[in-house]
Amino acid sequence: MTPRPDSPRRWWHLARPRDGSPEEPGTADAPGAHEPAPPEEAAPSGISVRPLPPDGASPERTGSWRAGLSLEQLRRSSGAGPDREGRPAALSVRALRLMTLILAVALAYYGAGRLGLLRQVVVEGATVTPLWLPSGVAVAALFVFGPRIVPGIALGMLAVTSSISPVSGYSVLVAVGNTLAPLASWYLLRLVGFRPSLERLRDGLALVFLGALGGMTVSAAVGTGTLLATDKILPANTWPVWAAWWAGDALGVLVVVPVLVVLFRPRLPRDVRGWVELLGLFAVTAALTLVAIYSPLDLLFLVFPLLIWAALRFELTGSAPAALIVSVLAVTAATNQQGPFAGRAMGEIMVNLQAFNVSVALTGLLLSSLVTERRHVRERIEDACQELAEVVDTLAPGASGRRSRGAEGTGPDEGEERGSTGAGWGAG
């Protein structure tokens, strides 16, 4: 049908319904009914745009639309038009979820802080914790939920400090330092492409040197500076207090983050025998650590073979809990000044304790990351070999089977006669 010369085109792609229903009155002679849309008027991404009819009728009343949306519908779908009901409801739901998440992080931080406060030592007039668990909780929470949960870290730290003393300017500054330190660790780790799964050796090294030893310098600096500004410590004692504060926060990251990774992404044994071996390994680790600590001889080095065995057999699933068990038992003995920590000054106790705990964490974390990385490399090689075998079977059906049978029946003399070609297939 040829459109009338005096009638402008009002819409595009107007056609009969495909289901065979009759057309509504007034649509059969619509101008430009069966003409394609002009190329210059087509919308991007293959969507045909049609202006609304001039009389204000809805597009549904003017026939069936083959493709495309009206301009008003495009505005509504893109969010350009006003949203009278959906947007306020969605915003309120998101705000409620964020508040719930912040409160959950604050509660987790507070619970870990209360556990950390169970063991405290006094170093040069300042009370510090040898193993500050909340630092690891904060770093892990930042990687899981992002920096939007920073208020939860600050609230958790304020709740911890308010549980032991009234809220003051000192507690607020300490809370600021303990909030900035995990943020610094999170930022440094993101700069180097850190993966929280700890499945690569570079991830273990980054967590040790950037996440723990690097980022936790912020909280130690702010906390020690606050103690010095409030005359709670002498200037001569600044470095011992800073070192003890920094070591406690760094050890919390080294011990807690791997354990949380295991809890959220466990790689558990597949059979009963594996479970028995894993649980037995944890029990033997705890028993041998107690024997080494409370023995009159210096036998703390006996725990390292067990940590190596846990990393080789169960990777992070075995090494992270084992390192946590050894560190907690060592901190308990040090705060009670028992075993190898008896009869020593507190500064010497802290140096020996932190050196031992950091060595334990490094051994388990780095070795398990190395074993996991090698396992992934082996799996990728096996997958590549399997894909290559499938390609060979596709190109020459049965070729890979003939080669495998020939390789099994080939003796040493026959292999030597084949020369380099036979060696090449055997290597593949």
Side-chain angles (χ1 to χ4, degrees):
M1 179 177 62
T2 305
R4 300 174 186 175
D6 55 345
S7 300
R9 293 192 183 97
R10 299 292 184 182
W11 47 84
W12 305 332
H13 295 299
L14 190 61
R16 295 178 180 273
R18 294 189 178 184
D19 55 358
S21 59
E23 296 179 3
E24 295 186 4
T27 61
D29 296 331
H34 300 284
E35 294 184 10
E40 65 274 5
E41 299 184 20
S45 303
I47 299 178
S48 301
V49 183
R50 316 177 188 83
L52 289 173
D55 55 354
S58 61
E60 293 77 11
R61 291 294 187 88
T62 58
S64 64
W65 298 76
R66 288 184 180 176
L69 299 170
S70 67
L71 291 176
E72 185 65 23
Q73 288 171 333
L74 282 176
R75 294 190 189 99
R76 291 175 181 175
S77 62
S78 61
D83 192 355
R84 298 177 181 177
E85 298 179 358
R87 182 164 305 205
L91 289 176
S92 61
V93 170
R94 286 197 294 268
L96 181 60
R97 289 178 179 175
L98 180 58
M99 292 178 60
T100 304
L101 189 61
I102 289 174
L103 290 178
V105 172
L107 288 175
Y109 193 99
Y110 175 77
R114 294 299 301 175
L115 289 176
L117 292 176
L118 294 177
R119 295 295 173 181
Q120 298 179 348
V121 294
V122 179
V123 178
E124 304 296 342
T127 303
V128 296
T129 53
L131 177 60
W132 186 240
L133 301 175
S135 59
V137 173
V139 173
L142 284 172
F143 271 98
V144 175
F145 304 111
R148 57 179 178 170
I149 52 91
V150 167
I153 299 174
L155 288 176
M157 186 60 197
L158 284 175
V160 172
T161 55
S162 63
S163 64
I164 56 178
S165 63
V167 178
S168 60
Y170 165 75
S171 59
V172 172
L173 289 177
V174 171
V176 170
N178 283 33
T179 304
L180 293 177
L183 270 177
S185 299
W186 173 78
Y187 180 74
L188 291 174
L189 291 174
R190 282 178 59 89
L191 284 180
V192 297
F194 173 77
R195 296 179 185 176
S197 58
L198 295 174
E199 294 179 344
R200 302 177 301 176
L201 179 61
R202 58 177 294 185
D203 297 329
L205 293 173
L207 181 63
V208 171
F209 293 103
L210 296 180
L213 303 181
M216 293 301 113
T217 57
V218 177
S219 59
V222 174
T224 306
T226 304
L227 291 174
L228 187 61
T230 55
D231 296 330
K232 293 185 177 181
I233 60 173
L234 298 176
N237 300 330
T238 301
W239 287 114
V241 174
W242 180 90
W245 196 309
W246 169 67
D249 289 356
L251 187 60
V253 175
L254 291 178
V255 171
V256 174
V257 171
V259 172
L260 293 179
V261 171
V262 171
L263 292 178
F264 283 102
R265 300 184 60 179
R267 188 174 179 268
L268 302 176
R270 299 180 179 179
D271 52 2
V272 178
R273 184 177 180 181
W275 275 104
V276 171
E277 182 182 359
L278 180 62
L279 297 178
L281 179 62
F282 293 156
V284 172
T285 300
L288 187 59
T289 303
L290 291 175
V291 171
I293 287 176
Y294 295 102
S295 172
L297 304 176
D298 292 333
L299 300 177
L300 286 178
F301 59 88
L302 291 179
V303 302
F304 289 98
L306 293 176
L307 293 172
I308 295 173
W309 178 256
L312 292 177
R313 286 287 294 143
F314 302 100
E315 300 175 8
L316 197 65
T317 305
S319 63
L324 178 62
I325 292 171
V326 173
S327 298
V328 170
L329 293 177
V331 167
T332 303
T335 53
N336 294 333
Q337 296 185 356
Q338 296 175 345
F341 308 103
R344 301 177 183 269
M346 186 54 63
E348 187 178 356
I349 290 175
M350 289 298 298
V351 170
N352 293 333
L353 173 65
Q354 300 302 353
F356 173 73
N357 284 339
V358 170
S359 300
V360 167
L362 285 176
T363 301
L365 177 60
L366 298 184
L367 186 57
S368 61
S369 299
L370 180 61
V371 172
T372 304
E373 186 177 23
R374 295 298 176 90
R375 177 174 59 84
H376 288 327
V377 171
R378 186 183 68 252
E379 291 175 353
R380 287 195 294 267
I381 293 175
E382 292 175 354
D383 293 340
C385 292
Q386 181 66 26
E387 293 176 1
L388 181 60
E390 293 176 357
V391 171
V392 172
D393 285 337
T394 302
L395 297 177
S400 62
R402 289 195 298 271
R403 282 196 303 273
S404 62
R405 289 193 296 271
E408 293 175 359
T410 301
D413 296 336
E414 184 179 355
E416 293 176 359
E417 292 177 0
R418 292 187 179 184
S420 61
T421 304
W425 284 116

